[in-house]
Amino acid sequence: MARDYASRCPVSPLRHTVLVAAVILLVAQGIRAQKVRVEEELEAYPTESVDLRCQFIDGGGRTKLTQVSWIWEPSDGIRDNIAVYHPHYGQSFPNSAFKDRVVFLHNSLENPSIRISNLKMSDAGRYTCEYATYPSGNEQGTTTLVMLAKPKNSAKVVTVQAGTKSVVVAQCEAADGKPAATIKWLASVGGNHSTSTTNGPDGTVTVRSEYRLVPTPTDDGREVTCRVEQRTQEQPWVYPVKLSVEYPPSVSIEGYDNNWYVGRSDAELLCMANANPAPTTVTWTAASGSLPDTVVVDGNKLTVRKVDDAVNTTFICEVKNKHGASRHQITTIVIEERRQVTPGPSTGAVIGGILGALAFIGIIIGVIFYVRKRLEDDEGPPKHRPPPPVKAGSSTEMLNKPSAPATENVPLSSREVYYETTGPVTNLDDDISGALNGGAPPVLDDMVRYDDEFKDHDNEFDPSNHELPPAANIARGESFVSPAMYV
């Protein structure tokens, strides 16, 4: 596209010559500007000093320097000489605003740097170091001096009254700064802010910001934070402000426990008020008229020296501040006898109970695991252990108690079998054999365990060849007793 356009619109020879001449002129100016070396920009603060450096660079050494001048150009654009140096006539400071504040650092045309002391904000502007030379004419370089000013930051609260309209509750200001500061608000309360700026005669700027909200009593004492950011500050300036919202009193009466019995001494009522500013007066009265003789008032505290029927009334507390008054009342009832109040458990007792319950649960779990371990250990070959004692008259209970179903179809050799009987034994082998085959239980004087006492009958009776009575027979009251009943 560009090639096509160039082919359609060729540059004329005259126009080409002008362009080349402009480029040469710009290059020449750049070369000339490089002969006077200065700093492009400097920053400084009021009351400080600044050095404006200038040096003439002549590569060929064929330029003759005749004079050098420093020219100040403020923001309004009016140029004026502030310092002149001539090798024969010496130094000159024609501008009275800089007199006694400007000096040459070197008495040399090649290095005519100057120092300006006790700077002012109005000193900001462009400073040009200009040489009068032969044969090339004037050569110059310009330095821009930027004057900076740290703002004077402040924040304050504005005391307001609770209401329904949005009002200013806090102010923040960054005064006389350059460049202008930025103000932000950090707040948890609902509100908004507005910002304004004012330019000073010396180039500084004052920034003011106001925080607004609809104040309520709950906003009193809450914080909003002013944050100021500005170029000259290493870090933001942060200042918290506590809001001050004034409101009339709200009143409550505390201390009545529904146990004002006849003869009780030093019963008290407290008049509690929430107000800003603090209450100026607190007044106690009684609905029945004047306060009883046994009542003593001390500020917001009412004390009944001795309770009697005279204090069976309604007490009224009224509180005032500059924004209004508020009252609260309570009716006290005198009873004949003291009520017994059962104190509730203390926190320590509750915690102790919880810990005790946890310990008890731990013990139960331990016992369960222990019993399960014992049951697992008891499985296997029969162990010889003495039968548990049986009280007289317990045969009927044992006969009527069914055995646990878990004992069915378990070989006799892996368990211990007990029989409870009530009569004399005539033939032990026959009775045991008959019982195992579903017959009547043997009759014994006491509980007998088939154990080493009957090892002489092993040749005649082999428990492993017999099956245990079915569960249905045991449920009918037969005398077989599961070993699980004695574990």
Side-chain angles (χ1 to χ4, degrees):
M1 179 69 70
R3 183 177 299 175
D4 295 340
Y5 176 81
S7 62
R8 291 195 305 267
C9 302
V11 178
S12 64
L14 178 61
R15 184 178 180 183
H16 179 73
T17 303
V18 172
L19 290 175
V20 172
V23 171
I24 295 174
L25 180 61
L26 290 173
V27 172
Q29 288 180 349
I31 296 174
R32 292 181 60 192
Q34 292 178 356
K35 290 186 178 181
V36 180
R37 181 179 299 173
V38 295
E39 295 174 282
E40 291 185 4
E41 183 177 289
L42 292 175
E43 295 179 351
Y45 293 90
T47 71
E48 295 182 351
S49 299
V50 64
D51 292 347
L52 302 180
R53 296 178 178 86
C54 181
Q55 186 178 10
F56 188 84
I57 306 299
D58 185 10
R62 292 174 296 178
T63 302
K64 183 176 180 181
L65 305 178
T66 59
Q67 180 177 294
V68 63
S69 301
W70 278 96
I71 303 171
W72 173 55
E73 183 181 354
S75 57
D76 56 11
I78 300 176
R79 292 166 55 93
D80 194 9
N81 286 337
I82 62 171
V84 178
Y85 179 78
H86 192 277
H88 299 294
Y89 299 108
Q91 302 175 1
S92 173
F93 305 99
N95 192 310
S96 60
F98 288 87
K99 191 175 183 179
D100 301 330
R101 294 196 299 129
V102 178
V103 296
F104 282 96
L105 298 178
H106 308 280
N107 289 322
S108 169
L109 285 175
E110 292 77 8
N111 190 359
S113 300
I114 62 174
R115 174 175 296 167
I116 304 176
S117 303
N118 194 21
L119 286 170
K120 303 176 182 179
M121 292 299 301
S122 57
D123 292 339
R126 291 163 52 88
Y127 290 81
T128 300
C129 178
E130 186 176 84
Y131 279 93
T133 68
Y134 179 84
S136 59
N138 292 342
E139 303 283 352
Q140 64 183 21
T142 301
T143 299
T144 300
L145 178 61
V146 178
M147 293 299 298
L148 302 176
K150 295 181 179 180
K152 303 176 183 66
N153 302 321
S154 62
K156 64 180 180 179
V157 64
V158 179
T159 300
V160 297
Q161 184 177 353
T164 58
K165 295 182 179 181
S166 178
V167 295
V168 176
V169 295
Q171 293 177 337
C172 187
E173 182 179 84
D176 301 329
K178 188 178 180 181
T182 301
I183 297 180
K184 299 179 181 179
W185 290 93
L186 306 176
S188 60
V189 298
N192 53 69
H193 68 277
S194 59
T195 303
S196 61
T197 59
T198 303
N199 296 323
D202 55 357
T204 59
V205 182
T206 297
V207 183
R208 295 182 181 88
S209 184
E210 297 179 333
Y211 195 85
R212 296 173 172 269
L213 58 78
V214 179
T216 65
T218 57
D219 294 325
D220 184 49
R222 300 178 71 177
E223 284 189 352
V224 295
T225 300
C226 174
R227 178 186 176 97
V228 178
E229 298 177 356
Q230 203 256 5
R231 177 179 175 180
T232 64
Q233 299 177 165
E234 295 182 0
Q235 58 186 5
W237 182 84
V238 177
Y239 191 86
V241 177
K242 284 190 176 183
L243 302 183
S244 176
V245 180
E246 296 185 346
Y247 50 91
S250 60
V251 184
S252 63
I253 297 176
E254 300 178 359
Y256 182 63
D257 57 2
N258 292 309
N259 199 11
W260 282 25
Y261 55 88
V262 176
R264 176 177 175 176
S265 59
D266 295 334
E268 292 182 349
L269 296 177
L270 293 176
C271 182
M272 309 302 294
N274 181 25
N276 185 26
T280 54
T281 60
V282 178
T283 305
W284 285 96
T285 57
S288 58
S290 59
L291 293 174
D293 296 336
T294 58
V295 171
V296 176
V297 173
D298 182 13
N300 69 324
K301 183 171 69 174
L302 182 147
T303 303
V304 180
R305 295 300 186 189
K306 190 173 183 180
V307 174
D308 55 17
D309 290 338
V311 296
N312 197 34
T313 185
T314 297
F315 291 100
I316 303 170
C317 175
E318 185 178 57
V319 179
K320 295 181 181 180
N321 70 359
K322 69 177 185 178
H323 294 296
S326 181
R327 59 168 54 191
H328 187 71
Q329 65 184 34
I330 188 170
T331 299
T332 56
I333 300 175
V334 178
I335 59 178
E336 293 297 329
E337 295 181 356
R338 178 179 182 178
R339 290 192 179 98
Q340 298 297 327
V341 180
T342 302
S346 63
T347 303
V350 173
I351 296 176
I354 295 174
L355 294 178
L358 294 176
F360 180 75
I361 293 173
I363 294 172
I364 294 299
I365 295 174
V367 170
I368 292 173
F369 279 102
Y370 174 76
V371 171
R372 181 178 295 176
K373 180 66 175 174
R374 289 294 303 273
L375 288 174
E376 292 175 355
D377 293 342
D378 286 344
E379 294 181 358
K383 297 180 181 180
H384 302 292
R385 63 183 74 175
V390 179
K391 296 182 181 180
S394 64
S395 59
T396 303
E397 180 182 355
M398 293 298 295
L399 290 173
N400 293 332
K401 185 173 183 180
S403 176
T407 61
E408 294 184 12
N409 301 324
V410 180
L412 183 62
S413 60
S414 64
R415 296 177 294 167
E416 296 177 358
V417 182
Y418 296 91
Y419 297 90
E420 181 179 1
T421 62
T422 57
V425 176
T426 57
N427 189 330
L428 181 61
D429 292 337
D430 295 339
D431 292 339
I432 294 177
S433 178
L436 293 174
N437 290 323
V443 181
L444 298 176
D445 290 334
D446 204 343
M447 178 68 70
V448 179
R449 182 167 63 108
Y450 180 80
D451 202 80
D452 294 340
E453 295 179 10
F454 304 104
K455 64 184 177 179
D456 295 336
H457 302 277
D458 288 343
N459 297 328
E460 302 175 9
F461 175 70
D462 185 1
S464 64
N465 295 329
H466 297 274
E467 294 182 356
L468 292 175
N473 294 338
I474 298 173
R476 289 196 297 268
E478 295 183 1
S479 59
F480 175 76
V481 182
S482 170
M485 299 176 63
Y486 296 96
V487 175

